[in-house]
């Protein structure tokens, strides 16, 4: 009886090791198991469940977009710098360091986050993991452009789900820092929608196109769409080649648009003209030009878009 009991206990125990080994084979070579546990991609037992496997897929999918840009920036021995705006728990920054910067042996990642407690946690985790070329700054995106703790130039700017106008602040930061590449996932844009809402009655009388935002839900959706179109035109007018795609795999988020901008130096006059034409067509230029027609929370962003900064 004792032998039988011993055999029954040993059987499941013997199967657990190969299962965990198979799960770890899904990871890329050299990845930090400790980091993946801290990010809750692996469980505390070092295993993948359905939710963590989905997260891992998302990480790899986004990394596949960013890695070629980093490789270009790293060419000829260059030490790439990257600023991650609205970093939160610095999920993206840690993954990029672990999968790319760690093996590269050079370069630096700056995580920019306004919540002090998250900045402190990220600093502690970087120290714990020995990720020495990571810095974390307790700043808003808007404040970061003039921050003393950042270099004059930054090679790559990322901003994933930076809320509302913070995305535009990240783009302005990239232009100011002469970024060679930007990777942006916009989130919950409200400013243009507020402007559309303000002049809705006038626009309904002026053009049938105003039916596109007559209903409140459509106003919000169209405002978001127009905002991202203006952002892309602004980047093209500033000398960037822009690609817009879906961030496939982020099924948990309705904000699934990925904007990738690479600096070429070819500033498109047609993009600037079309940007201004869109502002006119939607009645945004006149309202913003008066300085009183739009109830925006800060300096009106379309005014900045209408005058792209030089890079």
């Amino acid at each position: 009886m004792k032998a039988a009991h011993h055999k029954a206990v040993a059987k499941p125990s013997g199967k657990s090791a190969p299962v965990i080994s198979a799960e770890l084979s899904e990871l890329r070579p050299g990845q930090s198991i400790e980091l993946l546990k801290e990010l809750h991609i692996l469980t505390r037992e070092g295993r993948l469940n359905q939710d963590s496997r989905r997260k891992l897929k998302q990480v790899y999918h986004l990394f596949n977009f960013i890695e070629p840009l980093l490789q270009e920036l790293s060419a000829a021995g260059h030490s790439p710098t990257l600023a991650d705006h609205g970093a939160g728990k610095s999920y993206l920054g840690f993954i990029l360091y672990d999968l790319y910067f760690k093996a590269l042996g050079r370069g630096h990642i700056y995580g920019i986050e306004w919540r002090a407690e998250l900045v402190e946690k990220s600093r502690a985790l970087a120290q714990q993991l020995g990720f020495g070329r990571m810095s974390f700054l307790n700043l808003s995106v808007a404040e970061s452009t003039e921050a003393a703790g950042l270099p004059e130039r930054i090679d790559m700017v990322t901003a994933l789900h930076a809320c509302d106008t913070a995305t535009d602040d990240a783009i302005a930061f990239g232009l100011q820092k002469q970024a060679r590449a930007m990777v942006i996932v916009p989130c919950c844009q409200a400013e243009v929608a507020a402007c559309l809402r303000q002049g809705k009655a006038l626009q309904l009388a002026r053009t049938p196109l105003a039916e596109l935002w007559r209903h409140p839900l459509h106003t919000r959706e169209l405002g978001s769409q127009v905002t991202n179109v203006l952002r892309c035109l602004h980047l093209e007018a500033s000398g960037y080649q822009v690609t817009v795609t879906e961030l496939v795999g982020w099924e948990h988020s309705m904000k699934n648009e990925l904007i990738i901008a690479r600096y070429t130096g070819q500033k498109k006059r047609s993009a600037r003209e079309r940007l201004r034409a869109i502002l006119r067509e939607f009645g945004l230029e006149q309202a913003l030009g008066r300085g009183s027609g739009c109830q925006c929370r800060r300096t009106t962003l379309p005014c900045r878009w209408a005058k792209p900064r030089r890079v």
Side-chain angles (χ1 to χ4, degrees):
M1 291 296 294
K2 287 184 179 180
H5 176 71
H6 177 74
K7 184 176 181 181
V9 172
K11 187 175 181 180
S13 161
K15 285 188 175 181
S16 62
V19 170
I20 294 177
S21 177
E23 288 176 341
L24 295 183
S25 70
E26 298 182 37
L27 307 181
R28 296 201 176 192
Q31 274 196 275
S32 168
I33 303 301
E34 185 179 1
L35 171 63
L36 295 179
K37 287 181 180 180
E38 292 290 338
L39 298 179
H40 304 293
I41 291 178
L42 289 177
T43 66
R44 288 299 174 186
E45 295 74 31
R47 303 189 64 167
L48 286 167
N49 55 35
Q50 184 176 357
D51 182 59
S52 58
R53 185 172 274 106
R54 177 175 58 85
K55 289 180 181 177
L56 186 65
K57 180 182 177 182
Q58 294 163 7
V59 166
Y60 288 159
H61 186 78
L62 182 58
F63 181 72
N64 286 339
F65 285 112
I66 297 177
E67 183 182 28
L69 299 173
L70 289 173
Q71 289 173 340
E72 291 179 17
L73 294 173
S74 306
H78 180 66
S79 297
T81 52
L82 183 148
D84 182 29
H85 285 286
K89 297 178 181 178
S90 295
Y91 191 97
L92 176 63
F94 280 117
I95 290 293
L96 291 176
Y97 193 99
D98 192 40
L99 290 179
Y100 190 83
F101 283 77
K102 185 170 64 176
L104 184 67
R106 60 183 188 276
H108 202 101
I109 293 179
Y110 299 88
I112 299 167
E113 171 57 44
W114 65 274
R115 289 166 289 186
E117 67 277 11
L118 296 183
V119 172
E120 289 304 318
K121 287 180 180 178
S122 294
R123 288 172 177 166
L125 181 56
Q127 185 174 10
Q128 174 186 331
L129 297 170
F131 289 4
R133 287 173 286 110
M134 292 189 79
S135 300
F136 302 93
L137 292 85
N138 182 204
L139 297 166
S140 70
V141 182
E143 292 169 338
S144 63
T145 303
E146 306 299 331
L150 289 162
E152 290 186 7
R153 297 189 65 171
I154 292 286
D155 295 309
M156 180 181 288
V157 172
T158 59
L160 302 190
H161 300 119
C163 234
D164 200 13
T165 57
T167 295
D168 299 285
D169 291 334
I171 291 173
F173 173 94
L175 296 179
Q176 180 71 27
K177 296 293 186 179
Q178 303 180 48
R180 310 304 298 181
M182 301 190 212
V183 178
I184 308 290
V185 179
C187 185
C188 54
Q189 306 92 326
E191 192 167 30
V192 168
C195 295
L196 291 174
R197 199 175 297 116
Q198 183 93 9
K200 187 180 297 186
L202 177 63
Q203 288 298 95
L204 281 167
R206 188 180 74 87
T207 172
L209 286 177
E211 291 292 336
L212 294 174
W213 69 93
R214 179 161 64 91
H215 298 286
L217 177 62
H218 293 162
T219 303
R220 186 178 65 192
E221 292 176 346
L222 183 65
S224 176
Q225 179 78 354
V226 170
T227 300
N228 287 337
V229 169
L230 291 172
R231 286 166 173 161
C232 292
L233 289 172
H234 180 40
L235 285 165
E236 289 177 342
S238 301
Y240 288 80
Q241 178 187 36
V242 176
T243 301
V244 181
T245 186
E246 286 185 325
L247 189 59
V248 179
W250 288 57
E251 295 89 351
H252 67 291
S253 173
M254 294 179 66
K255 302 299 181 182
N256 198 35
E257 183 171 338
L258 176 64
I259 300 172
I260 302 172
R262 304 166 71 163
Y263 185 70
T264 64
Q266 298 177 356
K267 301 178 182 181
K268 293 185 178 179
R269 180 180 297 178
S270 62
R272 183 178 304 181
E273 291 171 352
R274 289 182 179 184
L275 186 154
R276 290 172 174 167
I278 289 173
L279 292 175
R280 287 195 301 270
E281 185 64 29
F282 284 92
L284 297 171
E285 186 181 56
Q286 182 180 0
L288 297 172
R290 287 200 308 267
S292 60
C294 182
Q295 301 300 316
C296 300
R297 292 179 290 115
R298 292 211 304 259
T299 302
T300 49
L301 293 171
C303 290
R304 283 193 298 202
W305 293 333
K307 297 180 180 179
R309 299 186 185 186
R310 294 188 176 184
V311 177

